[in-house]
Amino acid sequence: MKKILFILICLICSNHIVYTQNTNDIKQRPVVKIVKNPIGSEYFICFMKNYQDLVSPPNPIQLKLFITALNDANVKIEIPSLKYVLEIFIPKNTTQQVLIPKEAQIIKNNVVLEDAAIHVISDKPIFLYGLNTRNQTSDTYLAFPISTLGTRYRIMSFSTADLRLRELAKPEMAVTSPYDSTIVKIIPTVELENNVKIGDTLVVKMNRGDVYQLAPPIKKNKVDSLSSNKWDLTGTIVLSNKPVAAFGGHECAFVPLSMPDNTCNHLVEQLPPTSSWGKHFFCGKLAKRTTYQFRILADKDSTTIFINAKNRISLNSGQFYDGRTDQDIVISANKPILVAQYSEGFRNGDNIGDPMMLLLPPTNQFLSDYSFSTPKDGSWNHFINVIVPTGSIRNLTVDGKTPLFMDSSFIQAPTYFSPQPLAGRAQKTIIDKYKLVYRQLGLSLYSIATIQIPYGPHQILCTKPFGMYSYGFGFGDDSYDAYGTMGGQTFQEYEYAPDKEAPYVKSYNEDNAIALIVHEDRENDSGIDQIVIKENSNIDFEPFTVPLGIAQLKLTAFATAPNKPGRAVISVRDQVGNEESYTICYIYNTDAGRYIYEFDRSSVMTCQVNEWYVGAFGRIAQTYNTIDFTQAGNVKSTGGGTFAKPMSVNGIGGGYISYRFKPMFSVTGKLMFENINAVMSAPDDNLTPFDSSDIGSRLVQRTDKLKVNALFMNLSVSLEWYFDRRLYLTGGINAGTKLYENTSQTRIITDDAFQYNSEKIVKSSAKIMNSFGANLFAGVGFASTLPIYNEYASVFIEILYDYGFTNYLKDGLTKNSGEGIWRINKLVLNLGLKYNF
């Protein structure tokens, strides 16, 4: 039964391998995302061979593990071949260093070393980093838990210039097995010992905890070109019937190969399986270094790669491309790739650090949370590069602080970087008072920052997934040393689905033109095939070409005649035929007083001038009341006096809609709510005596006070005449209905020394106001566009005088039994926002 099961597993694995190598089938398969967490509870790792010093005795080697626990964790570390066991407790949110016996370094090549792997197991998930360091030759790697491991890898290493150090500085790779009865097949890109030629299959049988390290033999009598890739394991395939861990690196690499002697350094990274590779990467400048190198490795034939949406590179299965630059770069491919970044040797002109290697996480594997620790104390500068969605820059925190507002004792911003302003977006780059700079990454929606951090553990968080990697350079006694580590990634296993989405386009204004960024950079996108100008009237385009399969492309359009309207329609299509049309309009914005560009996902957009406005406003009014009555409804002046109140202040606001039927004229409607608060007094005609035990007998004035609190809903219609782009005269009619009224009456005694409430006549249910009121109004207004929404948003202010021609009093009588009067005139201030659509 076990044999049958084993055969079935092998068949399934072999079918998977053949299938994933068939590039014609990829587009026909549905997307499958198996999410694997980069933090885990069990690891099988190793330390590959570091450079052997030529001095005698050689400088001692140190092997360290850095373990970060997000919760209290009990961790056990064991190396059965060394009979080494260590159990430690790691408190929540702390990092602990563990020194591993130097004998754990894997020195022997091409031999299965039984139980030589370092087995780390924890009762709670942990992050694990490894450091392999000898004086002036160090590197670190992020360890992957067994839950993230795969059965198919390609090795990332570096070349060897065999004119120097030959047998002492070779590319290397290693495999550790977490399971018994594991069959590993290695298909090398270089000639190995035992007559294993390029393309042959080396079969290795391994059990749980075994390690197999491989390095190609380099014959001392060979003298090859320094640029030769003859001795490079990059591209080597590792296949297995059960998940294994794979490592790639170099005993001591010269970067670049032409670098002088004594500037090599150890390189190492644990490698992700090919199922979790990606298509889009960002590679940032390294702090304190002028240039760096990068390597792009392809897994499939006909892999097309673009660097900064320009350089087009074609690679087949297992091939790689080496580049060198002093800029941030954006790397996009039509098929999954693996990208490594390398710092250069001390003698490249910077006189700092030495080579190190780190793997870049693809955008589809970004995390929102990274926990790590810097591995080297003393004479070291430690940095992180963070790649953040531009819209989430202010949501990134390092150890609970936003980098933009960290104090200078914590963050020493790399002022040797100058900001790169976005074309047409003025100062979209963000620079704080300590000159921390976020740099826009090409045509992408991401920005990058380089942050210097102190020695110790750190946690970096953001509301959106982002990329991060850490690195450091020694100085002083450690001048010839460096390390670099990927901060982490998810391990979602992708099988790419058919591309069913057309390219999408982002636009922004740019110096009297409109810039369009065509994006075909999602997980399943096939790349841009063509862009066609289907229609153009008074709009022209700067000359452009479309490299087949490119992921982003910038177009610039401009009006041929600046003072005439224009229209253009473009069609964008990807390589599998998905197509979308977009319209560019050049129309006159009346509020802004100039022509502007509009852009829409449509081929039928009419490019008409926007004539409708909607908005909201607040309102405050100084009210002048004309009042004459002694009674109204069930309210009556007790002493026969006449109620009067000259002024009061009222307010609230409402909604706004307007239609501009001619460039200088608009008709406007407002639906608003307005409160009316008034306190009226009706003193008695004569003074009357008043006796009190406190003050004795005296003459006093008795007064009725009437408090009215009402809410009206009004509808106004007006005409606006714009005698200037911003200034207008307006006039119209306002009519409303009462929604609510509360009226109360109080009897008050007053003289020149005191006020005394002799009695309260409370009539909260009294209703003295008519249900309808209306007034005419006229005034002046001012409107100014805001620098948002293509200047279609405006703020407006109106100063109006309202003349009330209706009587607000219900059933009112005067002293002479005439009609009671309450008319309201107002001086009004309206302040609001409106949007032109």
Side-chain angles (χ1 to χ4, degrees):
M1 184 66 187
K2 290 183 178 179
K3 290 183 178 179
I4 294 173
L5 182 61
F6 177 75
I7 293 171
L8 287 174
I9 293 173
C10 290
L11 287 173
I12 292 170
C13 290
S14 63
N15 285 339
H16 174 71
I17 293 164
V18 172
Y19 199 94
T20 55
Q21 288 180 326
N22 188 345
T23 59
N24 294 325
D25 290 339
I26 292 178
K27 293 178 182 178
Q28 302 172 12
R29 302 191 71 182
V31 154
V32 176
K33 295 183 183 179
I34 303 173
V35 180
K36 297 180 178 181
N37 201 316
I39 184 172
S41 300
E42 188 173 13
Y43 298 78
F44 279 88
I45 61 172
C46 69
F47 286 105
M48 294 195 300
K49 185 174 182 292
N50 200 335
Y51 172 56
Q52 177 66 50
D53 268 352
L54 298 179
V55 299
S56 182
N59 290 308
I61 192 168
Q62 282 191 338
L63 309 177
K64 289 184 179 181
L65 296 181
F66 292 80
I67 307 171
T68 300
L70 302 184
N71 295 288
D72 291 348
N74 295 293
V75 180
K76 182 179 181 181
I77 305 169
E78 55 183 354
I79 311 172
S81 63
L82 301 180
K83 296 181 172 53
Y84 173 86
V85 178
L86 176 66
E87 295 184 2
I88 56 174
F89 171 76
I90 302 179
K92 176 181 178 180
N93 293 328
T94 63
T95 297
Q96 187 159 333
Q97 297 184 36
V98 178
L99 185 64
I100 300 298
K102 63 182 181 179
E103 292 79 12
Q105 179 187 209
I106 306 302
I107 298 177
K108 295 182 179 181
N109 292 322
N110 310 317
V111 176
V112 175
L113 301 177
E114 297 181 356
D115 291 328
I118 302 170
H119 183 208
V120 180
I121 190 167
S122 172
D123 62 349
K124 296 290 175 61
I126 55 173
F127 284 100
L128 182 65
Y129 290 82
L131 167 67
N132 187 337
T133 180
R134 193 191 294 277
N135 183 40
Q136 298 183 350
T137 172
S138 305
D139 205 4
T140 58
Y141 67 88
L142 171 65
F144 303 152
I146 62 172
S147 60
T148 67
L149 303 182
T151 58
R152 188 176 190 278
Y153 295 86
R154 281 195 185 270
I155 299 301
M156 180 71 81
S157 179
F158 201 74
S159 305
T160 287
D162 70 322
L163 293 179
R164 297 163 295 173
L165 304 182
R166 296 184 177 96
E167 292 292 341
L168 298 178
K170 297 183 290 186
E172 57 186 350
M173 56 164 284
V175 178
T176 65
S177 173
Y179 305 103
D180 288 333
S181 303
T182 299
I183 306 299
V184 178
K185 297 179 180 180
I186 300 173
I187 306 174
T189 54
V190 298
E191 184 176 334
L192 303 179
E193 294 177 338
N194 301 323
N195 203 31
V196 178
K197 295 186 169 38
I198 297 172
D200 287 351
T201 299
L202 174 65
V203 179
V204 180
K205 297 179 180 179
M206 304 177 69
N207 287 316
R208 177 181 169 89
D210 291 351
V211 179
Y212 182 80
Q213 181 174 269
L214 185 150
I218 299 178
K219 298 178 182 180
K220 294 184 179 181
N221 59 357
K222 276 203 176 280
V223 178
D224 293 324
S225 167
L226 289 177
S227 61
S228 171
N229 293 326
K230 186 176 183 64
W231 311 114
D232 196 329
L233 287 169
T234 298
T236 294
I237 297 177
V238 177
L239 307 172
S240 61
N241 64 329
K242 297 179 182 180
V244 295
F247 300 80
H250 204 287
E251 292 177 7
C252 199
F254 290 88
V255 183
L257 292 176
S258 58
M259 191 61 60
D261 288 345
N262 303 322
T263 58
C264 71
N265 211 3
H266 181 55
L267 306 180
V268 60
E269 284 291 330
Q270 184 169 350
L271 304 172
T274 56
S275 58
S276 60
W277 289 13
K279 296 181 180 180
H280 306 287
F281 295 80
F282 300 111
C283 195
K285 296 183 288 189
L286 300 175
K288 296 186 178 294
R289 307 306 305 265
T290 54
T291 57
Y292 65 88
Q293 291 198 198
F294 60 94
R295 174 170 286 189
I296 303 171
L297 173 61
D299 185 44
K300 307 293 181 185
D301 286 339
S302 303
T303 298
T304 302
I305 299 159
F306 290 90
I307 300 173
N308 284 344
K310 294 179 181 178
N311 304 29
R312 188 176 189 270
I313 302 159
S314 295
L315 298 176
N316 286 323
S317 173
Q319 292 182 337
F320 61 87
Y321 170 83
D322 282 335
R324 186 186 190 195
T325 183
D326 60 357
Q327 299 296 315
D328 303 315
I329 59 174
V330 179
I331 301 172
S332 299
N334 66 329
K335 297 176 183 179
I337 56 175
L338 185 65
V339 181
Q341 183 176 9
Y342 305 85
S343 66
E344 297 186 339
F346 181 91
R347 300 183 188 276
N348 77 333
D350 297 330
N351 292 334
I352 183 174
D354 248 344
M356 61 81 180
M357 168 186 174
L358 57 86
L359 296 179
L360 301 179
T363 58
N364 61 319
Q365 305 283 13
F366 280 178
L367 296 168
S368 298
D369 181 351
Y370 296 86
S371 295
F372 71 102
S373 180
T374 55
K376 299 283 286 186
D377 197 4
S379 301
W380 281 80
N381 289 314
H382 307 282
F383 301 91
I384 56 173
N385 279 6
V386 289
I387 299 99
V388 188
T390 303
S392 299
I393 282 175
R394 292 186 178 273
N395 297 324
L396 181 84
T397 60
V398 179
D399 299 334
K401 297 181 179 180
T402 301
L404 292 175
F405 305 106
M406 288 177 175
D407 57 83
S408 57
S409 64
F410 180 85
I411 176 168
Q412 302 171 24
T415 56
Y416 37 82
F417 290 150
S418 60
Q420 301 174 351
L422 290 181
R425 301 188 199 181
Q427 294 300 318
K428 283 281 187 178
T429 51
I430 299 175
I431 309 172
D432 80 328
K433 60 182 178 179
Y434 300 116
K435 300 186 185 302
L436 173 66
V437 178
Y438 275 94
R439 312 178 302 272
Q440 183 75 12
L441 285 161
L443 302 178
S444 76
L445 305 178
Y446 287 82
S447 297
I448 187 170
T450 300
I451 304 171
Q452 185 165 357
I453 56 175
Y455 172 75
H458 302 282
Q459 185 176 37
I460 310 178
L461 305 172
C462 190
T463 54
K464 297 288 185 180
F466 68 101
M468 189 281 290
Y469 53 90
S470 63
Y471 55 97
F473 300 112
F475 59 88
D477 292 339
D478 291 321
S479 291
Y480 297 92
D481 210 350
Y483 74 88
T485 308
M486 175 174 62
Q489 66 167 70
T490 64
F491 290 85
Q492 301 182 73
E493 295 186 358
Y494 286 86
E495 294 177 2
Y496 290 87
D499 180 2
K500 295 183 179 180
E501 295 182 284
Y504 66 98
V505 182
K506 300 282 187 178
S507 68
Y508 60 89
N509 291 333
E510 182 183 73
D511 298 332
N512 299 319
I514 182 171
L516 310 178
I517 310 298
V518 184
H519 290 269
E520 177 70 3
D521 50 12
R522 292 157 298 204
E523 293 172 11
N524 298 316
D525 283 346
S526 57
I528 302 169
D529 178 50
Q530 68 175 18
I531 300 174
V532 177
I533 302 172
K534 300 173 69 174
E535 175 187 338
N536 62 318
S537 172
N538 194 40
I539 289 182
D540 206 351
F541 289 81
E542 290 185 356
F544 66 89
T545 58
V546 184
L548 186 63
I550 197 167
Q552 303 106 4
L553 187 68
K554 179 182 177 182
L555 309 178
T556 302
F558 57 91
T560 308
N563 296 317
K564 293 182 179 180
R567 182 175 185 268
V569 178
I570 65 168
S571 172
V572 294
R573 188 177 72 187
D574 63 23
Q575 292 194 87
V576 295
N578 298 309
E579 188 171 356
E580 188 70 74
S581 293
Y582 294 85
T583 299
I584 303 170
C585 293
Y586 186 65
I587 59 178
Y588 189 76
N589 183 330
T590 306
D591 289 343
R594 60 183 178 85
Y595 280 90
I596 63 170
Y597 292 95
E598 281 193 347
F599 182 74
D600 192 36
R601 182 178 179 175
S602 170
S603 61
V604 297
M605 186 177 177
T606 57
C607 294
Q608 292 181 345
V609 176
N610 294 353
E611 299 169 332
W612 286 94
Y613 298 78
V614 294
F617 64 95
R619 177 182 179 92
I620 187 169
Q622 177 69 59
T623 302
Y624 302 91
N625 300 285
T626 300
I627 298 173
D628 183 10
F629 70 94
T630 56
Q631 68 178 67
N634 56 354
V635 172
K636 184 177 181 180
S637 172
T638 306
T642 298
F643 287 101
K645 168 63 180 176
M647 290 190 298
S648 62
V649 178
N650 302 306
I652 308 188
Y656 173 102
I657 186 167
S658 181
Y659 175 70
R660 181 165 288 187
F661 58 93
K662 287 188 176 182
M664 297 177 64
F665 292 95
S666 294
V667 60
T668 299
K670 296 187 180 79
L671 179 65
M672 58 186 171
F673 297 90
E674 184 174 31
N675 69 336
I676 296 178
N677 296 315
V679 179
M680 310 174 194
S681 299
D684 290 357
D685 291 338
N686 300 304
L687 298 178
T688 58
F690 178 74
D691 293 324
S692 169
S693 59
D694 297 329
I695 62 173
S697 179
R698 60 197 304 173
L699 293 175
V700 297
Q701 177 73 60
R702 299 178 188 270
T703 303
D704 287 323
K705 277 198 172 181
L706 193 63
K707 293 184 179 180
V708 181
N709 183 10
L711 179 67
F712 275 73
M713 181 174 68
N714 298 330
L715 177 64
S716 74
V717 178
S718 62
L719 183 69
E720 297 172 355
W721 171 49
Y722 286 81
F723 60 91
D724 179 81
R725 179 168 62 86
R726 295 184 179 89
L727 295 171
Y728 59 91
L729 297 177
T730 182
I733 187 170
N734 178 28
T737 182
K738 182 177 66 176
L739 300 179
Y740 166 83
E741 179 186 350
N742 185 307
T743 300
S744 62
Q745 184 177 359
T746 304
R747 184 75 165 162
I748 297 175
I749 300 173
T750 59
D751 70 0
D752 56 359
F754 71 98
Q755 176 175 306
Y756 182 77
N757 292 353
S758 62
E759 54 181 324
K760 292 184 180 180
I761 307 171
V762 179
K763 296 179 179 179
S764 60
S765 61
K767 307 295 181 185
I768 70 168
M769 299 190 73
N770 278 319
S771 297
F772 174 81
N775 55 277
L776 299 172
F777 64 88
V780 63
F782 171 83
S784 178
T785 58
L786 299 173
I788 57 176
Y789 304 119
N790 215 3
E791 295 192 72
Y792 283 130
S794 302
V795 60
F796 68 90
I797 301 174
E798 295 176 334
I799 300 175
L800 309 173
Y801 184 78
D802 285 13
Y803 170 72
F805 62 87
T806 61
N807 188 356
Y808 278 82
L809 196 63
K810 178 181 180 182
D811 301 329
L813 293 174
T814 65
K815 277 187 177 183
N816 302 319
S817 298
E819 182 184 4
I821 296 174
W822 184 5
R823 287 194 174 90
I824 300 176
N825 300 324
K826 304 171 209 164
L827 184 63
V828 178
L829 175 68
N830 290 335
L831 175 62
L833 293 169
K834 60 181 178 179
Y835 180 73
N836 182 206
F837 71 98

